């Protein structure tokens, strides 16, 4: 509670108002006031009051013994928080979000947004937002937390009129059913000494399972590194699936949520970890419902002694999918990536050695232990090994998550798994790993899709988010879409990304692109940005120029 | 890192930079090694001594085997690493980063706000042409703050200001808000700077590389004629600074890397300098027109010429001196007295006390130390034989546990407070014991909001706990102390259970604090006037000393006792004898051998009877025993307790000579006023709270016919029959070395070179002693420290039904002492223009005093003032606080002049008042 000067000797700055202090006290109840819960507490305020007013920030500062500036900078970082100043009206109670990322734009998001203008009013607002992870059903809109797939104005109006603003969870394998299917028995056999830590780690190494968030670091090797770190050490699970085109994590979570939890508990056993943190993107309200319920069920009737499992909620920031930004966010801070070294495995969450994994990487742990490493490596084409969960969207007949062998080509994937191209569409090119992988032309349709295979072409498989383009799409326009996305999602920390993405959008919004200058810009972003966001941001721009030269004539 | 590039310490890493083999010491980044070796790599977000953040990416280098470039400010060389900072690849990115940043500068050009913008420097160096990108949407200027202008159109988002505010000064006002291209430096919640909780330390201005944060009114745009390295004129922390002078005017101030401040300053030091150039400065000697016109009332600035006429120096000096001589002749030496000042230099203080002792012929010389730490010094001398601090602030903030008691350093010693806050961030425990909380308490592990004047109870109960739990340091007590049994017996009366309610502190908290202090490896106690300004001030200090002796928390690094000195030279003025019972170096005037020594040095006979203290002098005037005074730089008509009484006394003087830079309240009672020089207008040494003797250098010439204080003292001396012939401060300093053995080794030339030296420094070439009482040896007769137990006594004037509220005086960050300097400083007076009374919001409501918009009347048995209430939840209920810097609501009209029997310090920190709404005219 700082005080300050004023012309008539009154406190300048703000004095906490008792009314708001009481509201915050009531809202937080018995919850700890620890700094790392700041984002969680801000969610409580946003959920209750549909905004975070400066009165509430002041009261929260008081309650959490934090400077107001630190709360304000965190609250304004996350797009799902509506921070309002004194005298500013609070936003409309209902928010309709319309995805404007790659696939949705291809399927008419712009028009939908325009049409929805008519709905905007005192009680309803419409926001264009980045990828919400339902690209197979583009265009997508989220009414409140209720996703409307293949959205039209009519469907959205219907949802509003029927008061369908809260997501309904479809059926999935719950705790009881999972246990019936021998769930958690692999964990128990680990704990009961049927498996040795070394053997399990060796099995993962043999399986060649790699980090499925996009970076592809070998899972077994990561466990081995972490096992050798001193306690206390933590596990942080990344479900901030935000790469445009990606929806595989949501897919698995909505069907079989316990599988990755069992994987996490096995990892916990294998590396002698302490607490487990799960970071879930805020866009996945349904998954949150499932996880809240299932973690509770697990804790209520645990198969064995459980570590503390903390479920943390993102707040609308793609950058928090970057492992160190996620850690910052879990600590209640702005999601700004850390400089490395030191690496997360050594100095991670709360400064402790941290095993950080994408959710899907843990999803496969049970199968690999039960069925053996060979089962996993038996899959694959063109000498590539293992299975890949491809999130496929775009101009194909059967979009969705397709589990396919690593090393498959896009041509095979479209034909064998996606039912071919959509009627009237001719294959033109594809994003193999979401927006940041950049797009490749149809002429590279026979390249094996796997880690390390696409780098020579200026791309990568990343999270295996395939967006199939047809000749009706424009690589140039989609490159601009992607660059706008990176501009929107840049954390603002380093110059090449913060300024670079903005300048690039300006240059790319012009009819004629200044190609040499854009290449210079691309170079500094790739070479000098702090994290992968800035480093990969020029990929769509460069690949559009490189592989689709006819669009620039 | 600067220094000898050829010097290679033992533990180094060898790597290659641009083909050259280089050595890095532990913790040195590639950029720092490069700098040390004269290799230039552009950098913007990096600032020496700040945490490297690596965000601007101007310093990227190529490291063999790495996919991307690396920020050299955040990368540490590894053995055999091969680094290129000037390869085509590295330069390409460095240049593009600079071009991107330049494209978003105003007019895509040089910073219009800062002549030496670091961005411009590197843009020139790397020959960046006109940027090829469109500019961003620019933001407007924020000039809401009187001291600083915010021009975010020149911001490069390097976050040096955030680190300055959050990590260096720990004021936590600046944040980095929003995201991506919208990222923005904000104050609190994106408020105008002037409406935020900014405390205007200006660290952010000093940190900003491009001029997005600058002193207001483009003050720093003009190139200074001279840069003068000096010291801050305000508090006892003793920050080193640089005056930037143009056309005989200080234009702006920068912090200098001094041992006490590491380039930091506070609002007073950085922005409170222009009082020096205020048009109200006294520029001509003044003589009172009519002796009979004296009343106890104050004379307003506009009425000066009604009461005073201008005079030549010759006439004024003659008049001043003859008036003093006449009184000496008619009523004797003891009917004269002198007040020197803790704001003057050591040389001025030394000459002033010498003038009184050898010219007036008595020891009636004192200064405001009497009102600050007289009781602390009395206790320290009595128990451990030295009145100075045992450990310096810089060392104390390395302690595991810091107790800050009776002090609010974030207002009084702001830069010291920043180091305390830094220490808590590093994990030190901070225990604050204060009736009035502050922002510092936000960083405390324990905040004991004690009821006023119950310190003896609390401290005794802490010692009770330590002894009863066997946590005392038996070995230290046995070898290094006397009188433990007395203490042990005495504190048995004070169990935590017994005192808890009276002190307002829970039993378990008392015990916890006792254990923490006693069992930590290194613990230090800092205290301020909440301890000393009581009728039991000496007892308070005795308890703190006993606590340190009991646990052996003294005589080692990170331990000890540190009474935070309030004024820039209160330590030095006392060191050189500006107190009535001591000659220089604390030689008692009634000690025969000391008297002989000084009689020999000064070649005259001296009075062996201790002189009168500040408040006693006022009483002596009232009783008709004292008729003439020479007051240099003091303002008793504001600083003394029970001002009605003090002002009446001053008005009764037959002859009063006042030497000052402004027409102070005390000048209202003067017969002759001598216009003197301000801090920045003279050379001299000043001794800070850490015992650091520091050299202040003249930056500007005094205005009009104002003269150097040393010259004025010498001229008076000559006219009262002293044969003085001092040419310079340096010459006086040479004599101080003779008179003060503990400073004998300090030479002027070394000070001139090193700026700051710590005494004791007995022989030339010594390093000085930052920590005294090493190995538990005290400068007492037997080398041991003495326990002097203290029993609880109540304050002199307790609240009653009629006067139910406790009134204490204190400080506000922006104002200092009686306000003579700060209220003549444009920025400081703009920030705090009016008197306020700080009150708990609940009291305000309970007493029906309105919402805080309307003035209230504060009334004690002695006087009444009117001030605007400032609700502040930091202050406890039933207590109000006022600063005594405001002439229009002089807090000392209220205070009680009851004295501590040992230190003769008045009880500024406790009296009873009633509050009522002020009537509106």
């Amino acid at each position: 509670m700082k005080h300050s000067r004023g012309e008539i000797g009154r406190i300048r700055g703000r004095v906490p108002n008792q009314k708001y202090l009481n509201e915050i006290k009531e809202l937080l109840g018995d919850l700890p006031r620890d700094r790392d819960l700041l984002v969680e507490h801000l969610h409580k305020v946003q959920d209750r009051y549909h905004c975070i007013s400066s009165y509430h920030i002041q009261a929260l500062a008081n309650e959490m013994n934090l400077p107001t500036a630190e709360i304000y900078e965190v609250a304004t970082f996350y797009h799902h928080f509506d921070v309002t100043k004194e005298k500013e009206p609070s936003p409309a109670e209902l928010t309709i979000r319309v995805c404007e990322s790659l696939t949705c734009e291809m399927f008419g998001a712009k028009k939908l947004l325009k049409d929805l203008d008519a709905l905007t009013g005192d009680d309803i607002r419409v926001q264009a937002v980045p990828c919400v992870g339902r690209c197979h059903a583009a265009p997508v809109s989220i009414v409140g937390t209720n996703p409307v797939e293949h959205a039209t104005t009519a469907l959205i109006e219907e949802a509003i009129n029927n008061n369908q603003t809260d997501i309904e969870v479809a059926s999935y394998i719950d705790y009881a059913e999972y246990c019936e299917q021998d769930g958690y028995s692999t964990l128990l056999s680990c704990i009961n000494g049927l498996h040795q830590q070394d053997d399990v780690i060796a099995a993962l190494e043999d399986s060649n399972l790699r980090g499925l968030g996009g970076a592809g670091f070998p899972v077994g090797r990561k466990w081995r590194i972490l096992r050798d770190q001193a306690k206390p050490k933590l596990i942080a699970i990344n479900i901030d699936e935000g790469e445009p085109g990606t929806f595989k994590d949501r897919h698995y979570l909505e069907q079989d949520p316990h599988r990755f939890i069992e994987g996490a508990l096995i990892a916990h056993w294998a590396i002698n970890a302490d607490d487990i943190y799960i970071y879930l993107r805020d866009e996945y309200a349904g998954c949150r419902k499932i996880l809240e319920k299932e973690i509770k069920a697990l804790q209520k009737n645990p198969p064995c002694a459980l570590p503390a499992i903390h479920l943390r909620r993102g707040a609308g920031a793609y950058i928090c999918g970057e492992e160190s930004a996620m850690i910052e966010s879990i600590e209640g801070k702005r999601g700004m990536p850390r400089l490395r070294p030191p690496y997360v495995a050594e100095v991670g969450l709360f400064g402790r050695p941290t095993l950080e994994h994408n959710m899907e990487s843990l999803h496969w742990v049970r199968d690999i232990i039960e069925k053996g490493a060979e089962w996993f490596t038996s899959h694959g084409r063109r000498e590539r090994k293992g299975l890949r969960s491809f999130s496929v969207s775009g101009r194909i007949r059967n979009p969705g998550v397709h589990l396919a062998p690593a090393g498959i080509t896009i041509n095979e994937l479209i034909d064998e798994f996606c039912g071919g191209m959509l009627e009237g569409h001719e294959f033109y090119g594809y994003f193999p790993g979401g927006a940041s992988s950049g797009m490749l032309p149809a002429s590279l349709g026979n390249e094996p899709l796997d880690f390390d295979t696409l780098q020579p072409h200026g791309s990568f498989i990343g999270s295996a988010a395939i967006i199939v383009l047809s000749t009706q799409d424009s690589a140039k326009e989609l490159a601009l879409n992607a660059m706008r996305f990176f501009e929107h999602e840049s954390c603002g920390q380093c110059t090449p990304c913060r300024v670079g993405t903005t300048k690039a959008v300006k240059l790319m919004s012009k009819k004629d692109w200044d190609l040499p200058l854009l290449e210079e810009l691309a170079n500094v972003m790739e070479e000098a940005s702090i994290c992968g966001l800035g480093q990969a941001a020029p990929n769509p721009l460069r690949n559009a120029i490189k592989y689709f030269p006819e669009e620039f004539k | 890192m600067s220094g000898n590039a050829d010097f290679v310490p033992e533990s180094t890493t060898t790597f290659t930079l641009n083909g050259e083999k280089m050595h890095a010491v532990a913790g040195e980044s590639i950029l720092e090694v490069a700098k040390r070796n004269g290799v230039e790599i552009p950098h913007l977000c990096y600032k020496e001594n700040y945490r490297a953040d690596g965000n601007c990416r101007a310093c990227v280098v190529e490291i063999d085997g790495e996919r991307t470039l690396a920020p050299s400010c955040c990368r540490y060389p590894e053995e055999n690493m091969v680094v290129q900072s000037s390869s085509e690849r590295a330069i390409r990115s460095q240049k593009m980063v600079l071009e991107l940043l330049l494209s978003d500068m105003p007019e895509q050009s040089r910073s219009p706000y800062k002549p030496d913008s670091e961005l411009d420097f590197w843009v020139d160096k790397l020959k960046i042409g006109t940027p090829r990108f469109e500019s961003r949407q620019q933001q407007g200027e924020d000039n809401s703050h009187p001291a600083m202008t915010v021009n975010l159109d020149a911001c490069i988002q390097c976050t040096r200001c955030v680190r300055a505010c959050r990590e260096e000064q720990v004021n936590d006002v600046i944040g980095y808000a929003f995201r991506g291209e919208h990222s923005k430096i904000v104050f609190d919640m994106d408020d105008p700077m002037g409406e935020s909780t900014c405390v205007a330390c200006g660290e952010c201005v000093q940190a900003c590389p491009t001029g997005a944060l600058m002193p207001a009114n483009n003050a720093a745009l003009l190139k200074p004629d001279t840069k003068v390295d000096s010291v801050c004129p305000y508090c006892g922390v003793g920050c080193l600074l640089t005056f930037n002078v143009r056309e005989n005017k200080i234009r702006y101030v920068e912090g200098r890397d001094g041992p006490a401040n590491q380039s930091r300053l506070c609002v007073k030091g950085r922005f409170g300098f222009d009082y020096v150039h205020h048009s109200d400065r006294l520029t001509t000697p003044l003589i009172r027109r009519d002796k009979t016109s004296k009343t106890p009332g104050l004379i307003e600035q506009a009425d000066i010429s009604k009461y005073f006429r201008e005079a030549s120096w010759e006439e004024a000096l003659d008049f001043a001196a003859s008036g003093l001589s006449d009184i000496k002749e008619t009523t004797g030496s003891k009917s004269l007295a002198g007040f020197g000042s803790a704001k003057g230099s050591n040389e001025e203080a030394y000459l002033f006390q010498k003038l009184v002792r050898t010219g007036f012929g008595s020891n009636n010389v004192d200064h405001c130390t009497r009102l600050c730490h007289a009781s602390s010094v009395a206790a320290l001398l009595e128990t451990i034989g030295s009145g100075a601090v045992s450990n310096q602030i810089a060392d104390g903030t390395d302690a595991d546990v810091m107790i800050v008691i009776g002090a609010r350093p974030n207002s009084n010693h702001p830069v010291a407070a920043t180091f305390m806050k830094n220490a808590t961030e590093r994990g030190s425990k901070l225990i604050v014991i204060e009736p009035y909380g502050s922002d510092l308490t936000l960083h405390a592990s324990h905040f004991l909001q004690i009821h006023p004047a119950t310190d003896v109870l609390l401290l005794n109960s802490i010692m009770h706990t330590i002894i009863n739990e066997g946590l005392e340091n038996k070995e230290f007590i046995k070898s290094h102390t006397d009188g433990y049994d007395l203490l042990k017996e005495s504190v048995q009366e004070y169990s935590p259970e017994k005192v808890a309610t009276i002190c307002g502190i829970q039993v378990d908290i008392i015990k916890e604090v006792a254990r923490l202090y006693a069992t930590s490896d290194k613990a230090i106690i800092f205290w301020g006037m909440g301890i000393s300004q009581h009728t039991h001030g000496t007892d308070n200090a005795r308890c703190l000393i006993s606590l340190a002796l009991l646990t052996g928390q003294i005589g080692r690094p990170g331990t000890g006792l540190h009474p935070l000195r309030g004024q820039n030279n209160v330590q030095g003025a006392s060191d050189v004898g500006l107190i009535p019972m001591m000659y220089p170096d604390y030689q008692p005037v009634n000690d025969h051998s000391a008297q002989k020594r000084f009689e020999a040095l000064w070649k005259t006979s001296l009075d062996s009877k201790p002189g009168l203290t500040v408040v006693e002098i006022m009483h002596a005037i009232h009783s008709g025993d004292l008729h003439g005074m020479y007051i240099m730089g003091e303002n008793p008509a504001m600083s003394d307790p029970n001002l009605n009484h003090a002002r009446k006394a001053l008005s009764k003087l037959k002859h009063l000579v006042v030497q000052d830079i402004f027409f102070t309240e005390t000048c209202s009672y003067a017969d002759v006023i001598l216009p003197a020089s301000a801090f920045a207008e003279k050379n001299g040494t000043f001794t800070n709270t850490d015992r650091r003797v520091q050299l202040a250098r003249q930056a500007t010439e005094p205005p009009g016919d104002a003269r150097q204080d040393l010259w004025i003292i010498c001229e008076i001396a000559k006219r009262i029959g002293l044969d003085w012939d001092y040419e310079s401060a340096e010459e006086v300093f040479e004599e101080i070395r003779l008179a003060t053995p503990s400073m004998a080794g300090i030479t002027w030339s070394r000070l001139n070179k090193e700026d700051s030296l710590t005494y004791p420094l007995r022989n030339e070439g010594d390093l000085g002693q930052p920590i005294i009482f090493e190995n538990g040896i005290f400068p007492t007769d037997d080398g041991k420290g003495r326990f002097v137990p203290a029993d609880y006594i109540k304050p002199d004037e307790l609240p009653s039904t009629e006067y139910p509220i406790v009134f204490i005086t204190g400080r506000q960050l922006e104002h200092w002492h009686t306000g003579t300097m700060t209220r003549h400083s444009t920025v400081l007076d703009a920030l705090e223009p009016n008197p306020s009374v700080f009150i708990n919001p609940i009291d305000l409501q309970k007493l029906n005093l309105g919402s805080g918009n309307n003035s209230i009347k504060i009334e004690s048995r002695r006087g009444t003032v009117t001030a605007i209430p400032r609700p502040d939840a930091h202050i406890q209920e039933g207590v109000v606080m006022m600063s005594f810097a405001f002439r229009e609501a002089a807090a000392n009209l209220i205070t009680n002049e009851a004295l501590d029997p040992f230190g003769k310090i008045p009880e500024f920190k406790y009296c009873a008042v009633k509050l009522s709404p002020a009537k509106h005219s």
Side-chain angles (χ1 to χ4, degrees), chain A residues 1-2 5 7 9 11-14 73 76-77 85 316 334 489-490 492 494-495 503 520 527-528, chain B residues 56-57 69 89 104 132 134 166 171 176 178-180 189-191 194 198 814 832 834 870-871 874:
Chain A
M1 203 190 315
K2 285 166 182 278
R5 303 135 301 278
E7 271 168 32
I11 294 177
R12 202 176 287 172
R14 294 172 177 80
E73 67 176 15
T76 54
F77 181 85
K85 298 272 285 256
R334 295 161 57 78
E489 296 302 323
S490 166
C494 69
T495 310
K503 301 300 181 208
E520 277 188 62
E527 293 265 78
Chain B
C56 79
R57 317 306 277 186
L69 301 174
R89 184 178 162 215
D104 285 342
R132 293 165 290 172
E134 276 179 40
R166 188 174 292 176
N171 288 323
Y176 191 50
F178 304 99
R179 198 208 284 180
M189 294 188 236
D190 201 9
D191 298 319
C198 169
E814 294 79 2
E832 279 292 358
N834 292 309
R870 183 172 308 187
H874 281 311

